[in-house]
Amino acid sequence: MPTGNLGIAPLDQSARPRDTHSDLTTALDLPSPYLLFLGDVDQKPFAKTAFGIRDWAPERCVGEYACEGNALSLDLPFMSPREARAKGARALVIGVASMGGRIKQSWHSQLFEAVEAGLDIVNGLHHRLASVPGLADAAAAKGSRLIDIRTPPKDLPTATGRKRSGKRLLTVGTDCALGKKYTALALTRAFTEKGLDADFRATGQTGIIIGGGGMPMDAVVSDFLAGAAEVLSPDAHDDHWDVIEGQGSLLHPTFAGVSLGLLHGSQPDVLVLCHQAGREKILGLEEDFLLPDLASVIDLNLVHARRTNAAARCAGISLNTAHLSDGEADAAIERVSQETGLPCADPIRGGARFDALVEACLTS
Amino acid sequence: MPTGNLGIAPLDQSARPRDTHSDLTTALDLPSPYLLFLGDVDQKPFAKTAFGIRDWAPERCVGEYACEGNALSLDLPFMSPREARAKGARALVIGVASMGGRIKQSWHSQLFEAVEAGLDIVNGLHHRLASVPGLADAAAAKGSRLIDIRTPPKDLPTATGRKRSGKRLLTVGTDCALGKKYTALALTRAFTEKGLDADFRATGQTGIIIGGGGMPMDAVVSDFLAGAAEVLSPDAHDDHWDVIEGQGSLLHPTFAGVSLGLLHGSQPDVLVLCHQAGREKILGLEEDFLLPDLASVIDLNLVHARRTNAAARCAGISLNTAHLSDGEADAAIERVSQETGLPCADPIRGGARFDALVEACLTS
């Protein structure tokens, strides 16, 4: 994950037509600006919601807040909910993406503090805000809203497999939390800057907060997984691109089912494989699940992708090099490009390599 | 699917220890005997719940019922809910496994009729019985229970990938509705008859009704898919077998996500691939999704299975030949065995070939 403000301008919401969205996808009108809450999470990958919002919607962030003693920081001004309210904040956003999506007991007092200060709370975890004892009453007394965004639309259909019109790109990963959302956002922006008609299609809590809509794939009842992905990127005109945020990894023992349902339902024409330089095993599990070579990962994704779109191809690799120096990053990118025979770039670093990756996506 | 009563004795419930079940799996005490309801479904694969209960729990079936004009039959006595009640039935079981699991409007009058006759209703579809307008009130007035069995336990964990003790077998398929449950039930019985300690682990509505417990995998929120599979087959002693009912197929554009989550979380030592002789494409979809050769299907399943159990192997093929004559079935079984180099049998036909398949499962 990138560190600090990398000079990325926010996505221009007005430039991304939303009228191709099906009525079934979640349409949101979230109260902003935000105070981003880190809880007691001290590892960046598990605070990826906060970092993602800071990087892609900085104009909507007034500050950060956390449990006492938490050293993790977004490099935003640290302030209490009361201070944030005085500076114009309208909501506290839970910026944590923990495994299983629980609202931890240790955050409760801060959530009450937010409500007392007159802030709404925006929550993308599986657990509902109303499950925090007394919070709903406290919010009602203050007129604050408790907003759970990880709520799939009702009456999702099962997937039909019918081939839809328009073009689709899906970011897939070797693991979680290494750049699938950032890559999809960066590619959407690059496509749009080239004058193409492109929509970012969010599939997780952070993407949905950034993009203002989408499908919380991992909250969908599993029978409807691929169906939800079909709903998320409906028929469009032939030159339209849906750039779909990937979820998890086919190699992840916890989340591969979500990844496969999304892959089948998305019917991608183009895959971009996302990886973090040097990551050798799945993050966050006690047992070691080693990652195979990238070519095997691409092959496995293509075998499944071609089940619903025979023309699916992998355009290249998006390599997260945020933890490397410029020289190390260049070398790592070159190594992956040589190893796979495909364009490779770090979208956050941009440059000619990223331009080449964008071209490879568009040139079939 | 087999037709008619094939002389299969019901599973001996008492022989299958349930104490290894985790508290999280669904424990059921269903009112029986049953009146099996076919609705207006006139294709056998979509009535597989009714056929499964008839074949594996015949002692709990007093008759069948259906919408007017439906020619599909279980070869049980056709009777109204009132007649069934008089013959001792305690519940009407919705015997339909439709795509997406909806309770159809055209069945409503029969459901009311059941409640009026004093029967409980057992429903394994996604849609809740209480969603039928007025049905809950009618049931309450009559003291009838509305039982929705496709309800996953609360507070499922996400999968950890931790390798569990004991042995596991998972039936996987080329498609839906071709014998994964029957194969798992037949193997459980064969293992038990050999004096082995074996549990049938149900993963779908029919299996749960037959077995009296299990995990409704396709109703689990997708983030918890593999976690639910881990809960379903907990640690056991080294010689214990869990025989797990597979779901869907990795090749199915609608349900592959469920199949992959179940495969990862089950950590099977042994796979048995289930196929129907002559089936060339996925059933029930408008577009043609052709099935590849069986060796490719086995390879794809093993690639994923070995992610959580490096020792996973495919023991053989279970071939559904219910629609073939004895001679045709023999030829088809021999052909598949030659093609794959693995034992192949139709468990419903049994015989020496099935004995050999059972041996191949047990001999590593």
Side-chain angles (χ1 to χ4, degrees), chain A residues 223-249:
Chain A
D223 223 14
F224 305 97
L225 256 175
E230 291 187 347
V231 165
L232 178 63
S233 68
D235 281 301
H237 63 79
D238 288 349
D239 295 328
H240 178 272
W241 280 91
D242 270 335
V243 182
I244 304 161
E245 175 196 3
Q247 285 294 325
S249 166

Side-chain angles (χ1 to χ4, degrees), chain B residues 1-11 34-38 44 47-64 72-77 93-95 181-182 185 189 206-207 209-210 322 348:
Chain B
M1 295 282 95
T3 59
N5 190 323
L6 294 153
I8 298 171
L11 280 183
Y34 309 133
L35 175 64
L36 300 178
F37 179 57
L38 295 168
K44 204 179 291 180
K48 64 178 185 175
T49 297
F51 281 91
I53 298 167
R54 179 205 66 181
D55 287 344
W56 291 93
E59 80 287 3
R60 281 181 267 155
C61 303
V62 299
E64 65 180 81
L72 187 65
S73 172
L74 299 159
D75 296 327
L76 293 174
V93 174
I94 298 181
K181 177 180 61 266
Y182 275 59
L185 285 161
R189 178 182 296 161
T206 311
I209 296 174
I210 294 170
I348 304 299

Side-chain angles (χ1 to χ4, degrees), chain A:
Chain A
M1 295 282 96
T3 59
N5 191 322
L6 293 154
I8 298 169
L11 280 184
D12 179 357
Q13 300 287 323
S14 64
R16 296 182 302 109
R18 305 231 64 88
D19 55 352
T20 54
H21 258 296
S22 157
D23 290 346
L24 278 171
T25 57
T26 309
L28 294 171
D29 182 17
L30 296 176
S32 66
Y34 309 133
L35 175 64
L36 300 178
F37 179 56
L38 295 168
D40 53 359
V41 166
D42 56 4
Q43 289 183 64
K44 206 178 292 180
F46 297 122
K48 65 179 184 174
T49 298
F51 281 91
I53 298 167
R54 179 204 66 181
D55 288 345
W56 291 93
E59 81 288 1
R60 281 181 268 155
C61 303
V62 299
E64 65 179 81
Y65 193 46
C67 293
E68 206 175 316
N70 186 356
L72 187 65
S73 172
L74 300 159
D75 295 327
L76 293 174
F78 187 96
M79 60 184 74
S80 71
R82 191 169 301 278
E83 292 165 329
R85 187 76 190 91
K87 288 192 189 299
R90 293 177 59 210
L92 177 120
V93 174
I94 298 180
V96 175
S98 58
M99 280 241 183
R102 291 168 193 283
I103 296 172
K104 291 178 67 178
Q105 180 99 34
S106 49
W107 314 342
H108 286 192
S109 67
Q110 287 82 359
L111 299 181
F112 278 96
E113 208 183 333
V115 163
E116 291 299 325
L119 296 179
D120 296 336
I121 301 180
V122 175
N123 167 44
L125 299 169
H126 282 299
H127 268 201
R128 305 285 141 184
L129 287 163
S131 70
V132 176
L135 190 61
D137 288 344
K142 280 285 181 176
S144 293
R145 286 187 295 163
L146 303 182
I147 303 171
D148 297 300
I149 61 162
R150 205 183 250 179
T151 306
K154 287 188 197 302
D155 294 326
L156 283 170
T158 54
T160 65
R162 182 185 64 79
K163 183 75 174 68
R164 303 188 297 287
S165 55
K167 297 193 178 83
R168 286 168 189 81
L169 182 152
L170 174 68
T171 56
V172 297
T174 54
D175 190 8
C176 293
L178 45 63
K180 291 183 291 291
K181 177 179 62 264
Y182 276 58
T183 301
L185 285 161
L187 289 171
T188 307
R189 178 182 296 160
F191 287 12
T192 303
E193 284 173 357
K194 281 179 169 289
L196 298 170
D197 186 7
D199 272 338
F200 168 66
R201 298 300 192 186
T203 58
Q205 52 167 329
T206 311
I208 291 171
I209 297 174
I210 294 170
M215 182 69 72
M217 286 299 291
D218 61 8
V220 169
V221 167
S222 64
D223 223 14
F224 305 97
L225 256 175
E230 291 187 347
V231 165
L232 178 63
S233 68
D235 281 301
H237 63 79
D238 288 349
D239 295 328
H240 178 272
W241 280 91
D242 270 335
V243 182
I244 304 161
E245 175 196 3
Q247 285 294 325
S249 166
L250 291 180
L251 301 166
H252 199 300
T254 315
F255 302 121
V258 180
S259 308
L260 184 52
L262 178 59
L263 181 56
H264 274 166
S266 295
Q267 304 177 349
D269 303 282
V270 172
L271 298 177
V272 172
L273 177 64
C274 302
H275 182 56
Q276 183 181 42
R279 191 176 299 189
E280 292 176 350
K281 60 180 189 180
I282 297 290
L283 191 82
L285 294 176
E286 281 188 29
E287 322 255 313
D288 282 350
F289 291 92
L290 300 181
L291 298 178
D293 63 286
L294 297 181
S296 306
V297 183
I298 292 170
D299 285 349
L300 187 61
N301 274 279
L302 285 177
V303 163
H304 287 295
R306 289 178 179 151
R307 193 79 188 131
T308 56
N309 184 346
R313 63 189 175 86
C314 179
I317 321 292
S318 171
L319 194 69
N320 182 333
T321 62
H323 55 302
L324 301 181
S325 69
D326 288 352
E328 290 167 341
D330 269 354
I333 288 168
E334 179 58 27
R335 215 159 36 232
V336 166
S337 186
Q338 290 286 339
E339 175 193 332
T340 58
L342 290 170
C344 176
D346 183 336
I348 304 299
R349 294 180 184 269
R353 284 188 186 272
F354 183 58
D355 294 343
L357 177 60
V358 170
E359 279 310 309
C361 292
L362 298 173
T363 315
S364 59

